Amino acid sequence: MGSSTGDLVTRVQSAHLFDHDALFRFAADNVSGFPTNPSQFKVSQFGHGQSNPTFLIEVGSGSSLKRYVLRKKPPGKLLQSAHAVEREFQVLRALGEHTQVPVPKVFCLCTDPTVIGTAFYIMEFMEGRIFIDPKLPNVAPERRSALYRATAKALASLHSADVDAIGLENYGRRGNYCKRQIDRWFKQYLASTSEGKPERNPKMFELVDWLRKSIPAEDSTGATSGLAHGDFRIDNLVFHPSEDRVIGIIDWELSTLGNQMCDVAYSCMHYIVNVQLDNEHVSEGLETAGLPEGMLSMPEFLIEYCSASGKPWPAANWKFYVAFSMFRAASIYTGVYNRWLMGNASAGERARNTGAQANELVESALGYIARDNVLPEHPPSVQRDMSPSYESLVDGSGRFIPNRKVLELRHKLIKFMETHIYPMENEFSKLAQSDMRWTIHPEEEKLKEMAKREGLWNLFVPVDSAARARRELAATEKHNLSSKSFDQLFGEGLTNLEYGYLCEIMGRSVWAPQVFNCGAPDTGNMEVILRYGNKEQISEWLIPLLEGKIRSGFAMTEPQVASSDATNIECSIQRQGDSYVINGTKWWTSGAMDPRCRVLILMGKTDFSAPKHKQQSMILVDMQTPGIRVKRPLTVFGFDDAPHGHAEISFENVVVPAKNILLGEGRGFEIAQGRLGPGRLHHCMRLIGAAERGMELMAQRALSRKTFGKFIAQHGSFVSDLAKLRVELEGTRLLVLEAADHLDKFGNKKARGILAMAKVAAPNMALKVLDTAIQVHGAAGVSSDTVLAHLWATARTLRIADGPDEVHLGTIGKLELQRASKL
């Protein structure tokens, strides 16, 4: 198991003592929210790492404790250009403010050495796990591959950063990186082995000579250049406390602009040689000594990286990059050993073996150069585990096998979720629980623009509805969009069945659907306008919704009546000349709290004396109309779902233009029946994804936690429960896909029976899965440390919000009796 980040500290070493009072005064003045009158102020030193000394700051009173991390230059005379904490601060701030690369947030930089003796900066403390040993001992085999895949994706995320766009264009020179690095580190090596210091190794000169003659052409052209971390290893990553994903990349001392393949090779060093501070010697790497069960091989790790980053297979120059990595490590270890001799090595006594290890690394590099084959010429084929296993049936044969187009979209969507959505979940959640929760996180809008560029926008739009909207707008120029932009608004022309495979992926996160403009109630509202709106309504309201510039709400449920029977609705819509006047109260108007909400679709009665199902109408209501008062946000099992929210709203003499009526008076039920198909089937599709996320988290937890002497996964009762849940999940998935297929082929009315079945089955199945996942997580399951509680609350709510089970069961039962009566 990984070490908790808070457990890697010891008392401050004597060589690194500094004035704690001075630090406190500086932090109180420069770190926003830093406690100013605490009863406790404690500084400990992290024992992990060999470079810039790093410290844990704990400050607070009683149970209210805040933790920060301080990173500083070592004391004493330092090698030129080494230990530049100012550069670390610069790159962390740029990445943290402008990208999705997982890094800790930095608060302040101090370059005044009179404060604590050297320059330093303060950043956030990341609660998570650090794996010191790349073999991942005491980690369940099934999780080792997941952790290495997460490592590869984190490196790809770092390498995808656009340095010109985030202010790092001058962070280093891009061309001839390896040539400059060889010269730099050889110079550092010579400086660390000069008179009175460790003895020089003649074979280091032989290695440097080979490297200088073997620099790849791509290095001089800058073809592989970008932001390079310089020390990317699994022990410089902070993983989520319970999920197998990276939440923080740390130790940026060696970062610069340069050849990113050096990062990739260095991250693979443990496959080739085993270098541990606590070991006396360098030993064989994992590829020779044997891979632990479940561990990715080096080629498999490289496949993951190349797939996530879009980089080519590196076989042609792999020998050079690995030898370069060993050379640089040997130079660094020589410097560490020199600092140990002087008594100021950050790693303390653990650094005593680094001199011998540096020489052994030189030997290993020369031995690697002499090998005939170091990497397959082409990437080996890797079959990934998938559930369901669609990959082997890409020809589209089979009733519910997605076609190639859908599979490609699915791959893009999964990659987007892993790269951008999951890493941001904690940030979105923090904002949603803060005093600013009714505001929009700036990263959400950035992600929406990225989704548009990647063709993952408005995927829900049914192909037939898109065709109707295009016809309605064909004769107008009012939308003021280019032909290409206009076409992009209508998605990829998917059927409901095709969209089901994608909607499921979005359902794995409560935050994802809105990023792709596929969230409720907007999808249902857009479908209403797509199907029933006239040309003017489409132009005024649908286009901004499809662009993602505004959001919407659906106002139907009322607090004073049982709204599961929509004929009970009492809100009045009275015609007065060229307007309608609305009076009534609505609640559970989802989306109305969102500051971007501009329009409501409201259902009320235009004629109280008409036949029961002809009294209701739907009308578009501008949220800025006088007389609308948002009374309060409502909570769902304690979640207010900020900034989206669910509102209680009063309408007092709200005057709306008569042109805003949808389809005509008395046609509200007709519209509702159309809306109840695709829009609400989306909920079922998302619930499949939520259940899959629950299954994944549950299995990961069971493979990593022990009770009564063995892993939870080794208890027979758990294995049986897990299997039953998988059976039920797969059965529900097939039912939902069947419902989508019926919807495409026969329309809402003929598909109403199977739609009702899906609406009963999906939330009940998801609740079973999520409830078991919560139970396996124990106290963590009901907390906000995992997404499980929020997913469970959403699933439970849909047994009411998507129409009560009793209504759907009534529909199913009546259809069954009708079928029997015809026999």
Side-chain angles (χ1 to χ4, degrees), residues 177-178 259-267 320-321 324-325:
Y177 172 81
C178 291
N259 193 324
Q260 295 177 327
M261 290 312 300
C262 294
D263 266 354
V264 181
Y266 193 71
S267 71
F320 168 85
Y321 288 121
F324 169 82
S325 295

Side-chain angles (χ1 to χ4, degrees), residues 405-423:
K405 175 182 178 180
V406 173
L407 276 175
E408 289 174 357
L409 287 170
R410 191 173 185 273
H411 286 319
K412 288 173 66 175
L413 195 57
I414 290 171
K415 182 179 178 181
F416 195 101
M417 294 281 289
E418 292 175 342
T419 306
H420 304 298
I421 302 294
Y422 299 140

Side-chain angles (χ1 to χ4, degrees), residues 520-521 525 552-561 563-564 585-593 600-601 630-641 644-651 675 680 793 797 800-802:
N525 289 342
S552 63
F554 186 67
M556 178 175 171
T557 308
E558 299 179 3
Q560 67 272 24
V561 298
S563 302
S564 57
T585 300
K586 297 287 186 180
W587 71 345
W588 301 108
T589 304
S590 296
M593 295 299 303
L600 302 176
I601 294 182
V630 178
K631 298 173 72 173
R632 57 171 177 149
L634 302 168
T635 60
V636 178
F637 293 106
F639 295 99
D640 58 18
D641 292 322
H644 183 60
H646 318 276
E648 181 176 355
I649 308 177
S650 66
F651 299 82
R675 188 182 192 277
R680 290 197 169 177
T797 304
I800 301 171
D802 201 16

Side-chain angles (χ1 to χ4, degrees), residues 24 35-42 58-65:
F24 175 81
T36 54
N37 294 298
S39 60
Q40 175 184 348
F41 182 73
K42 179 182 177 182
E58 297 175 287
V59 57
S61 301
S63 60
S64 176
L65 188 69

Side-chain angles (χ1 to χ4, degrees), residues 752-753 756 805-816 818:
R752 68 186 185 280
D805 285 2
E806 292 78 6
V807 172
H808 299 316
L809 290 169
T811 299
I812 298 165
K814 289 175 183 176
L815 288 172
E816 198 67 25
Q818 287 176 15

Side-chain angles (χ1 to χ4, degrees), residues 385-426:
D385 290 332
M386 292 187 67
S387 181
S389 183
Y390 300 132
E391 293 303 300
S392 61
L393 295 164
V394 294
D395 62 350
S397 61
R399 187 171 179 187
F400 292 133
I401 301 300
N403 58 39
R404 192 174 297 276
K405 175 182 178 180
V406 173
L407 276 175
E408 289 174 357
L409 287 170
R410 191 173 185 273
H411 286 319
K412 288 173 66 175
L413 195 57
I414 290 171
K415 182 179 178 181
F416 195 101
M417 294 281 289
E418 292 175 342
T419 306
H420 304 298
I421 302 294
Y422 299 140
M424 277 299 297
E425 284 184 324
N426 284 340

